[in-house]
PDB file of all heavy atoms in Angstrom:
ATOM      1  N   LEU A  73      31.001  32.151 -20.940  1.00 57.00           N
ATOM      2  CA  LEU A  73      32.127  32.933 -20.433  1.00 57.00           C
ATOM      3  C   LEU A  73      31.667  34.039 -19.481  1.00 57.00           C
ATOM      4  O   LEU A  73      32.316  34.335 -18.482  1.00 57.00           O
ATOM      5  CB  LEU A  73      32.922  33.547 -21.593  1.00 57.00           C
ATOM      6  CG  LEU A  73      33.731  32.569 -22.424  1.00 57.00           C
ATOM      7  CD1 LEU A  73      34.292  33.259 -23.672  1.00 57.00           C
ATOM      8  CD2 LEU A  73      34.859  31.970 -21.600  1.00 57.00           C
ATOM      9  N   MET A  74      30.547  34.647 -19.792  1.00 58.00           N
ATOM     10  CA  MET A  74      30.028  35.731 -18.954  1.00 58.00           C
ATOM     11  C   MET A  74      29.264  35.205 -17.747  1.00 58.00           C
ATOM     12  O   MET A  74      29.069  35.927 -16.774  1.00 58.00           O
ATOM     13  CB  MET A  74      29.087  36.630 -19.775  1.00 58.00           C
ATOM     14  CG  MET A  74      29.778  37.374 -20.889  1.00 58.00           C
ATOM     15  SD  MET A  74      28.683  38.525 -21.736  1.00 58.00           S
ATOM     16  CE  MET A  74      27.418  37.447 -22.388  1.00 58.00           C
ATOM     17  N   ASN A  75      28.848  33.971 -17.795  1.00 61.00           N
ATOM     18  CA  ASN A  75      27.931  33.419 -16.809  1.00 61.00           C
ATOM     19  C   ASN A  75      28.464  32.084 -16.300  1.00 61.00           C
ATOM     20  O   ASN A  75      27.829  31.063 -16.460  1.00 61.00           O
ATOM     21  CB  ASN A  75      26.562  33.255 -17.494  1.00 61.00           C
ATOM     22  CG  ASN A  75      25.490  32.902 -16.521  1.00 61.00           C
ATOM     23  OD1 ASN A  75      25.447  33.414 -15.424  1.00 61.00           O
ATOM     24  ND2 ASN A  75      24.615  32.011 -16.932  1.00 61.00           N
ATOM     25  N   ARG A  76      29.640  32.111 -15.691  1.00 61.00           N
ATOM     26  CA  ARG A  76      30.258  30.877 -15.229  1.00 61.00           C
ATOM     27  C   ARG A  76      29.509  30.334 -14.022  1.00 61.00           C
ATOM     28  O   ARG A  76      29.234  31.050 -13.076  1.00 61.00           O
ATOM     29  CB  ARG A  76      31.714  31.145 -14.889  1.00 61.00           C
ATOM     30  CG  ARG A  76      32.502  31.527 -16.134  1.00 61.00           C
ATOM     31  CD  ARG A  76      33.873  32.069 -15.853  1.00 61.00           C
ATOM     32  NE  ARG A  76      34.599  31.287 -14.897  1.00 61.00           N
ATOM     33  CZ  ARG A  76      35.479  31.817 -14.071  1.00 61.00           C
ATOM     34  NH1 ARG A  76      35.725  33.102 -14.076  1.00 61.00           N
ATOM     35  NH2 ARG A  76      36.120  31.056 -13.220  1.00 61.00           N
ATOM     36  N   GLY A  77      29.178  29.074 -14.068  1.00 67.00           N
ATOM     37  CA  GLY A  77      28.408  28.450 -13.004  1.00 67.00           C
ATOM     38  C   GLY A  77      29.244  27.962 -11.841  1.00 67.00           C
ATOM     39  O   GLY A  77      30.461  28.108 -11.812  1.00 67.00           O
ATOM     40  N   GLY A  78      28.560  27.388 -10.884  1.00 66.00           N
ATOM     41  CA  GLY A  78      29.187  26.858  -9.685  1.00 66.00           C
ATOM     42  C   GLY A  78      28.731  27.627  -8.461  1.00 66.00           C
ATOM     43  O   GLY A  78      28.709  28.859  -8.471  1.00 66.00           O
ATOM     44  N   ALA A  79      28.338  26.910  -7.421  1.00 73.00           N
ATOM     45  CA  ALA A  79      27.805  27.537  -6.211  1.00 73.00           C
ATOM     46  C   ALA A  79      28.776  28.546  -5.592  1.00 73.00           C
ATOM     47  O   ALA A  79      28.351  29.573  -5.066  1.00 73.00           O
ATOM     48  CB  ALA A  79      27.427  26.460  -5.194  1.00 73.00           C
ATOM     49  N   ARG A  80      30.072  28.281  -5.666  1.00 67.00           N
ATOM     50  CA  ARG A  80      31.052  29.209  -5.061  1.00 67.00           C
ATOM     51  C   ARG A  80      31.197  30.505  -5.845  1.00 67.00           C
ATOM     52  O   ARG A  80      31.676  31.498  -5.318  1.00 67.00           O
ATOM     53  CB  ARG A  80      32.430  28.542  -4.969  1.00 67.00           C
ATOM     54  CG  ARG A  80      32.494  27.461  -3.928  1.00 67.00           C
ATOM     55  CD  ARG A  80      33.890  26.915  -3.704  1.00 67.00           C
ATOM     56  NE  ARG A  80      34.586  26.640  -4.952  1.00 67.00           N
ATOM     57  CZ  ARG A  80      35.849  27.026  -5.190  1.00 67.00           C
ATOM     58  NH1 ARG A  80      36.533  27.696  -4.316  1.00 67.00           N
ATOM     59  NH2 ARG A  80      36.414  26.707  -6.337  1.00 67.00           N
ATOM     60  N   ARG A  81      30.788  30.514  -7.104  1.00 69.00           N
ATOM     61  CA  ARG A  81      30.991  31.686  -7.954  1.00 69.00           C
ATOM     62  C   ARG A  81      29.822  32.664  -7.961  1.00 69.00           C
ATOM     63  O   ARG A  81      29.907  33.703  -8.602  1.00 69.00           O
ATOM     64  CB  ARG A  81      31.252  31.241  -9.393  1.00 69.00           C
ATOM     65  CG  ARG A  81      32.548  30.533  -9.555  1.00 69.00           C
ATOM     66  CD  ARG A  81      32.761  30.187 -11.000  1.00 69.00           C
ATOM     67  NE  ARG A  81      34.074  29.634 -11.201  1.00 69.00           N
ATOM     68  CZ  ARG A  81      34.384  28.833 -12.185  1.00 69.00           C
ATOM     69  NH1 ARG A  81      33.479  28.506 -13.074  1.00 69.00           N
ATOM     70  NH2 ARG A  81      35.599  28.369 -12.312  1.00 69.00           N
ATOM     71  N   LEU A  82      28.734  32.346  -7.311  1.00 76.00           N
ATOM     72  CA  LEU A  82      27.554  33.203  -7.357  1.00 76.00           C
ATOM     73  C   LEU A  82      27.814  34.523  -6.638  1.00 76.00           C
ATOM     74  O   LEU A  82      28.460  34.557  -5.593  1.00 76.00           O
ATOM     75  CB  LEU A  82      26.363  32.499  -6.710  1.00 76.00           C
ATOM     76  CG  LEU A  82      25.980  31.132  -7.280  1.00 76.00           C
ATOM     77  CD1 LEU A  82      24.788  30.566  -6.528  1.00 76.00           C
ATOM     78  CD2 LEU A  82      25.702  31.216  -8.762  1.00 76.00           C
ATOM     79  N   SER A  83      27.279  35.600  -7.186  1.00 74.00           N
ATOM     80  CA  SER A  83      27.406  36.912  -6.546  1.00 74.00           C
ATOM     81  C   SER A  83      26.093  37.260  -5.855  1.00 74.00           C
ATOM     82  O   SER A  83      25.088  36.573  -6.010  1.00 74.00           O
ATOM     83  CB  SER A  83      27.763  37.978  -7.590  1.00 74.00           C
ATOM     84  OG  SER A  83      26.730  38.071  -8.548  1.00 74.00           O
ATOM     85  N   LEU A  84      26.106  38.331  -5.090  1.00 73.00           N
ATOM     86  CA  LEU A  84      24.892  38.800  -4.415  1.00 73.00           C
ATOM     87  C   LEU A  84      24.006  39.562  -5.393  1.00 73.00           C
ATOM     88  O   LEU A  84      24.492  40.173  -6.340  1.00 73.00           O
ATOM     89  CB  LEU A  84      25.252  39.732  -3.250  1.00 73.00           C
ATOM     90  CG  LEU A  84      26.012  39.116  -2.082  1.00 73.00           C
ATOM     91  CD1 LEU A  84      26.312  40.187  -1.039  1.00 73.00           C
ATOM     92  CD2 LEU A  84      25.230  37.985  -1.457  1.00 73.00           C
ATOM     93  N   SER A  85      22.710  39.571  -5.130  1.00 77.00           N
ATOM     94  CA  SER A  85      21.786  40.299  -5.998  1.00 77.00           C
ATOM     95  C   SER A  85      21.899  41.802  -5.774  1.00 77.00           C
ATOM     96  O   SER A  85      21.626  42.588  -6.670  1.00 77.00           O
ATOM     97  CB  SER A  85      20.349  39.841  -5.752  1.00 77.00           C
ATOM     98  OG  SER A  85      19.954  40.123  -4.430  1.00 77.00           O
ATOM     99  N   ARG A  86      22.291  42.196  -4.599  1.00 77.00           N
ATOM    100  CA  ARG A  86      22.460  43.613  -4.260  1.00 77.00           C
ATOM    101  C   ARG A  86      23.711  43.760  -3.405  1.00 77.00           C
ATOM    102  O   ARG A  86      24.072  42.856  -2.675  1.00 77.00           O
ATOM    103  CB  ARG A  86      21.256  44.111  -3.458  1.00 77.00           C
ATOM    104  CG  ARG A  86      19.959  44.063  -4.242  1.00 77.00           C
ATOM    105  CD  ARG A  86      18.835  44.571  -3.405  1.00 77.00           C
ATOM    106  NE  ARG A  86      19.231  45.872  -2.859  1.00 77.00           N
ATOM    107  CZ  ARG A  86      18.451  46.922  -2.799  1.00 77.00           C
ATOM    108  NH1 ARG A  86      17.238  46.847  -3.247  1.00 77.00           N
ATOM    109  NH2 ARG A  86      18.878  48.056  -2.291  1.00 77.00           N
TER     110      ARG A  86
END
Side-chain angles (χ1 to χ4, degrees):
L73 289 171
M74 295 185 299
N75 189 40
R76 295 169 46 211
R80 289 187 314 133
R81 292 183 174 155
L82 304 180
S83 62
L84 295 179
S85 62
R86 296 180 51 137

